[in-house]
Amino acid sequence: MDGQPRPEGLHCLVTGASGYIGGRLVPELLEAGHRVRCLARSPGKLRDHPWADQAETVRGDVTDADGVAAALRGIDVAYYLVHALGSGSGFEDTDRRAARIFAEQAHAAGVRRIVYLGGLTPRGVPEAELSPHLRSRAEVGRIFLDGPVPATVLRAAVVIGSGSASFEMLRYLTERLPVMVTPGWVRTRVQPIGVRDVLRYLAGSAGMPADVNRAFDIGGPDVLTYQEMMQRYAAVAGLRRRIVVPVPVLTPKLSSLWVGLVTPVPAGLARPLTESLRHEVVCHEHDIARHVPDLPGRPLPFDEALALALRRVRQAQVATRWSSASVPGAPSDPLPTDPDWAGGSLYQDERQATVDAPRQALWRVIEGIGGDNGWYSFPLAWAVRGWLDRFAGGVGLRRGRRDAQHLRVGEALDFWRVEEIEPGRLLRLRAEMRLPGLAWLEMHAETDEAGRTRYRQRALFHPRGLLGHAYWWAVSPFHSVVFGGMARNITRAAAKAVDAQEHTGRIQQAGRARSRR
């Protein structure tokens, strides 16, 4: 940073801390010796992160001036990591309004610097020809650079890291389709960057001199077409070379539907990603190195960033995923049993069973539900529901889970979102599938009056309008199969796990006895 010592002890605000980049930036800033405050609409979503007890969290929304003003009080550096990616019409107005509020309130609070992560825009392409999301990112960057607070605007193209939307799109397209007919954008040149380098540039930007107010292109050392990226992924993952046949007739909308069907990334999120690949996005300068010097071997080459991301996935060490952020438009109404619920019709399906296993064994099955572990009932029914949700433009069933054994409040679990966890007792999920109403699924591990382990399961549905009521009665005949089967199979799985553990213990004990003879 121009030979200056690395600053420590700054007070940093991170917006978007529940998202993919924000959730990884917070521990980087803490490790650098900074104090961190997070602005979140739902602070509870951050409570299970490993760094939660080291950072302050305040409730607020970037479109609320008063909330932003309170969050920026006493802040030195403010990170703006909020995007409307995947949201519906009107997102450009929302982005514009939120950025202006943030810039104005940062100035009023005496903030020294705003750091914003935006998208790399193609040179020489009129702004009107850019995709709406890329155009909005460019506008937000301009608002900060034209504002009264010095700003650092980092512009990146494809971010490669375990759990990133770009990485998962690349990963699933390559792994699932050895032969593919692809849109013309697979021949577009892009300059990907590893998430570790994005975080390094973001954290390092906190110490830029006060006279720096500009945008920086950030990218890795490799410039590749998307087709080359897929072939390089296949090589790193040990797969056969892929046969790729580009065709020019696939529109961005059709491309996003194609990506949504093949990968866990829903069409609504895939569209802005694919639209950004219509034009070449290559860095035209590397001036960021003047302020955040490159380390040996950094930025990471594409193959190394891929290998690192793959290793994290295979070792189940994914810190955050693209699905960490809430789906725009997803329900946030209170649970029908909460005091502030507005009331109305409520349908319930409640089941319970005694379990021949300790409560902790039952809890391990409950917390491990979903993803590759499945839903313990009628897999075809769950798969069909996932496909129907995909065709309706929803997230579908393939978002999976970040970790095979442990869950956090706020993270995605297939087409659910973890709303509440009481370790060893309760898992509550809120549906994010397309529904004519609101839905929750609760799973409880309890001890009854006789000291036996009891499993209790409750599905709740709050219908919207006549269609919502019709939906509940249309699917209710299947509840005994889906929900009843789930209750039976979860209790059986807990009992089997105990039996298997006891069997293993007996074998090990016998082996030790033989070794002593």
Side-chain angles (χ1 to χ4, degrees):
M1 290 177 281
D2 291 340
Q4 298 180 5
R6 187 175 185 178
E8 293 188 355
L10 296 175
H11 199 180
C12 301
L13 175 73
V14 177
T15 64
S18 63
Y20 177 71
I21 295 292
R24 297 186 179 211
L25 177 62
V26 172
E28 294 283 330
L29 295 173
L30 291 169
E31 187 178 350
H34 304 309
R35 289 182 296 150
V36 178
R37 177 185 297 160
C38 301
L39 175 66
R41 285 179 295 179
S42 303
K45 291 183 178 180
L46 302 179
R47 75 175 196 206
D48 293 332
H49 284 265
W51 43 260
D53 59 347
Q54 302 173 57
E56 176 190 5
T57 302
V58 296
R59 185 184 301 274
D61 190 288
V62 289
T63 59
D64 173 32
D66 291 339
V68 171
L72 287 167
R73 197 169 295 125
I75 292 296
D76 300 308
V77 179
Y79 286 89
Y80 194 83
L81 303 175
V82 178
H83 298 307
L85 191 65
S87 58
S89 60
F91 75 89
E92 289 183 89
D93 289 337
T94 302
D95 272 353
R96 184 182 305 115
R97 179 163 54 91
R100 287 174 176 165
I101 288 172
F102 200 80
E104 291 167 1
Q105 297 303 325
H107 177 58
V111 173
R112 301 183 200 175
R113 177 165 300 279
I114 293 173
V115 182
Y116 170 63
L117 178 62
L120 187 59
T121 53
R123 180 165 292 187
V125 177
E127 196 166 282
E129 295 182 16
L130 297 177
S131 70
H133 285 82
L134 203 54
R135 185 170 61 239
S136 181
R137 277 166 166 61
E139 182 181 17
V140 169
R142 276 200 313 276
I143 289 172
F144 290 141
L145 292 173
D146 293 343
V149 178
T152 301
V153 174
L154 303 180
R155 304 187 299 192
V158 173
V159 177
I160 299 297
S162 59
S164 76
S166 296
F167 171 73
E168 298 228 336
M169 189 171 98
L170 174 67
R171 173 190 170 200
Y172 281 91
L173 285 175
T174 309
E175 290 186 353
R176 292 181 172 175
L177 299 175
V179 179
M180 59 188 108
V181 176
T182 59
W185 49 255
V186 298
R187 291 177 173 168
T188 302
R189 295 200 320 152
V190 297
Q191 191 164 351
I193 182 171
V195 68
R196 286 194 174 190
D197 290 305
V198 174
L199 296 172
R200 184 168 60 87
Y201 291 138
L202 282 168
S205 295
M208 285 191 177
D211 60 350
V212 175
N213 183 62
R214 57 162 292 184
F216 297 90
D217 293 351
I218 59 172
D222 301 295
V223 177
L224 306 161
T225 66
Y226 204 87
Q227 182 173 341
E228 290 171 334
M229 289 167 60
M230 288 191 287
Q231 299 294 10
R232 298 273 281 270
Y233 179 93
V236 170
L239 305 172
R240 291 182 179 179
R241 183 173 178 81
R242 273 27 198 163
I243 299 174
V244 181
V245 183
V247 293
V249 295
L250 288 175
T251 64
K253 183 174 181 179
L254 289 175
S255 295
S256 63
L257 292 174
W258 170 67
V259 171
L261 288 174
V262 176
T263 79
V265 181
L269 179 57
R271 182 161 186 174
L273 295 177
T274 57
E275 282 181 335
S276 66
L277 295 170
R278 287 187 299 171
H279 304 287
E280 179 175 287
V281 278
V282 175
C283 298
H284 293 279
E285 43 85 9
H286 188 55
D287 296 346
I288 187 69
R290 299 176 186 172
H291 306 285
V292 188
D294 290 332
L295 304 173
R298 306 292 286 272
L300 282 176
F302 178 71
D303 287 2
E304 288 187 31
L306 276 183
L308 181 61
L310 269 173
R311 187 162 65 249
R312 294 290 190 198
V313 169
R314 290 168 178 170
Q315 294 175 349
Q317 294 179 343
V318 181
T320 59
R321 294 183 70 220
W322 59 272
S323 56
S324 301
S326 298
V327 175
S332 57
D333 303 54
L335 183 73
T337 52
D338 289 346
D340 54 350
W341 186 56
S345 300
L346 180 67
Y347 294 111
Q348 295 190 53
D349 181 283
E350 188 164 1
R351 300 171 190 270
Q352 61 183 19
T354 301
V355 188
D356 189 17
R359 199 173 80 176
Q360 194 55 41
L362 173 61
W363 176 251
R364 283 194 293 269
V365 176
I366 292 173
E367 193 178 10
I369 200 166
D372 292 338
N373 299 327
W375 289 88
Y376 293 95
S377 72
F378 201 5
L380 179 60
W382 288 92
V384 169
R385 187 63 185 87
W387 280 106
L388 289 175
D389 196 54
R390 283 268 169 169
F391 285 123
V395 296
L397 193 64
R398 290 201 306 268
R399 288 192 300 185
R401 47 184 295 152
R402 179 191 57 83
D403 184 287
Q405 295 178 317
H406 304 291
L407 293 172
R408 294 176 184 161
V409 169
E411 68 182 9
L413 176 59
D414 291 329
F415 46 39
W416 305 88
R417 175 92 40 194
V418 180
E419 182 172 87
E420 182 58 82
I421 298 177
E422 295 179 17
R425 292 189 62 253
L426 165 69
L427 173 62
R428 180 187 300 140
L429 307 176
R430 180 189 290 267
E432 289 191 336
M433 65 198 82
R434 295 296 177 93
L435 289 170
L438 306 173
W440 294 262
L441 177 62
E442 290 183 342
M443 288 164 276
H444 300 254
E446 301 174 337
T447 303
D448 66 13
E449 297 80 1
R452 298 170 302 183
T453 300
R454 179 174 60 194
Y455 173 69
R456 186 162 59 88
Q457 173 183 294
R458 187 170 66 142
L460 304 107
F461 183 68
H462 175 44
R464 285 202 181 107
L466 182 61
L467 183 60
H469 292 275
Y471 171 83
W472 175 264
W473 290 112
V475 299
S476 59
F478 303 101
H479 286 175
S480 61
V481 176
V482 176
F483 293 133
M486 177 185 292
R488 287 191 298 272
N489 292 329
I490 284 177
T491 56
R492 288 173 185 167
K496 285 182 179 178
V498 172
D499 290 342
Q501 188 176 13
E502 290 176 350
H503 180 66
T504 301
R506 287 193 295 268
I507 292 175
Q508 291 174 342
Q509 187 176 9
R512 287 193 294 268
R514 284 194 298 270
S515 66
R516 288 195 296 267
R517 293 173 186 169

